[in-house]
Amino acid sequence: MKIIKVHNKQFQVHITKEQVDNRIIELAEIINKTYSGKNPLLLSILSGSFMFTSDLMKKITIDCELTFMRIKSYAGLKSGGDVKILMGVSEEINDRHVLVIEDIIDTGNTIQQIFHQVKKYNPKDLKVMSFLFKPEAMKTDYKPDYVGFEVENKFFVGYGLDYDGHGRNHPGVYILSE
């Protein structure tokens, strides 16, 4: 089992690069079918979802556009609940099919705030795809429309996910070792 060290913590592989690659193909096919002929606007939430979004975009075959929103909600190993929008959306959202792409949804606070922020711009349709989803951690009634992997309520790094800015560069997903 592969172990990595990020800062002072050890993490072990939880989802391999091959599993990630296979799931990306499946999720891209869902987007291709669901949004065919609709020219959706994919709204990637930075910084965590950049690898997921990049790989997903390479497999999407329909016409679509991409934009970004930058959010900060984590400090250390915990999601703080205090969501800061560091960079908002600059593209036209009104009457568009919008798919928000997140790296991970745990408490639901961040995505709920993003959802309400984007709704103000009157999209025709607004859905959320999350690479990882922690149903046990949910504190809101919100559930993503599309999920890459459901995971337990633990801390993860790799594939864009970080621990205080480090660990994003690993191709698989790693779980904090107890």
Side-chain angles (χ1 to χ4, degrees), residues 1-82:
M1 179 175 314
K2 185 171 179 186
I3 303 283
I4 61 170
K5 189 171 183 180
V6 180
H7 291 299
N8 59 341
K9 306 281 186 204
Q10 287 195 338
F11 295 82
Q12 62 189 36
V13 71
H14 187 71
I15 303 170
T16 66
K17 179 188 181 321
E18 292 75 23
Q19 289 172 305
V20 169
D21 292 344
N22 289 336
R23 187 64 179 136
I24 294 291
I25 291 167
E26 294 169 356
L27 292 171
E29 193 53 38
I30 290 169
I31 292 171
N32 289 333
K33 287 180 183 170
T34 304
Y35 293 99
S36 179
K38 296 179 180 178
N39 187 31
L41 178 64
L42 306 183
L43 173 56
S44 180
I45 306 302
L46 297 174
S47 292
S49 67
F50 76 99
M51 288 177 78
F52 177 44
T53 302
S54 174
D55 288 345
L56 197 57
M57 288 294 291
K58 293 171 193 170
K59 303 295 180 191
I60 294 173
T61 58
I62 61 167
D63 286 338
C64 63
E65 294 178 61
L66 175 64
T67 192
F68 298 93
M69 190 174 192
R70 186 155 187 236
I71 304 293
K72 182 167 177 82
S73 64
Y74 262 82
L77 300 175
K78 301 262 185 226
S79 178
D82 180 28

Side-chain angles (χ1 to χ4, degrees), residues 20-144:
V20 169
D21 292 344
N22 289 336
R23 187 64 179 136
I24 294 291
I25 291 167
E26 294 169 356
L27 292 171
E29 193 53 38
I30 290 169
I31 292 171
N32 289 333
K33 287 180 183 170
T34 304
Y35 293 99
S36 179
K38 296 179 180 178
N39 187 31
L41 178 64
L42 306 183
L43 173 56
S44 180
I45 306 302
L46 297 174
S47 292
S49 67
F50 76 99
M51 288 177 78
F52 177 44
T53 302
S54 174
D55 288 345
L56 197 57
M57 288 294 291
K58 293 171 193 170
K59 303 295 180 191
I60 294 173
T61 58
I62 61 167
D63 286 338
C64 63
E65 294 178 61
L66 175 64
T67 192
F68 298 93
M69 190 174 192
R70 186 155 187 236
I71 304 293
K72 182 167 177 82
S73 64
Y74 262 82
L77 300 175
K78 301 262 185 226
S79 178
D82 180 28
V83 178
K84 292 181 177 79
I85 297 175
L86 304 176
M87 182 179 85
V89 177
S90 58
E91 276 70 24
E92 180 63 42
I93 291 177
N94 185 52
D95 207 32
R96 297 283 311 266
H97 294 276
V98 178
L99 178 62
V100 176
I101 300 174
E102 254 294 30
D103 59 347
I104 188 166
I105 295 177
D106 44 32
T107 64
N109 292 330
T110 302
I111 196 63
Q112 188 173 40
Q113 289 187 38
I114 292 167
F115 200 84
H116 290 302
Q117 181 78 15
V118 174
K119 271 287 213 202
K120 292 178 189 176
Y121 297 101
N122 301 314
K124 180 180 280 190
D125 180 56
L126 179 59
K127 296 203 183 299
V128 175
M129 177 177 283
S130 184
F131 177 62
L132 299 181
F133 176 52
K134 297 180 183 179
E136 298 168 15
M138 289 300 291
K139 293 182 179 175
T140 67
D141 292 333
Y142 185 79
K143 184 173 192 266

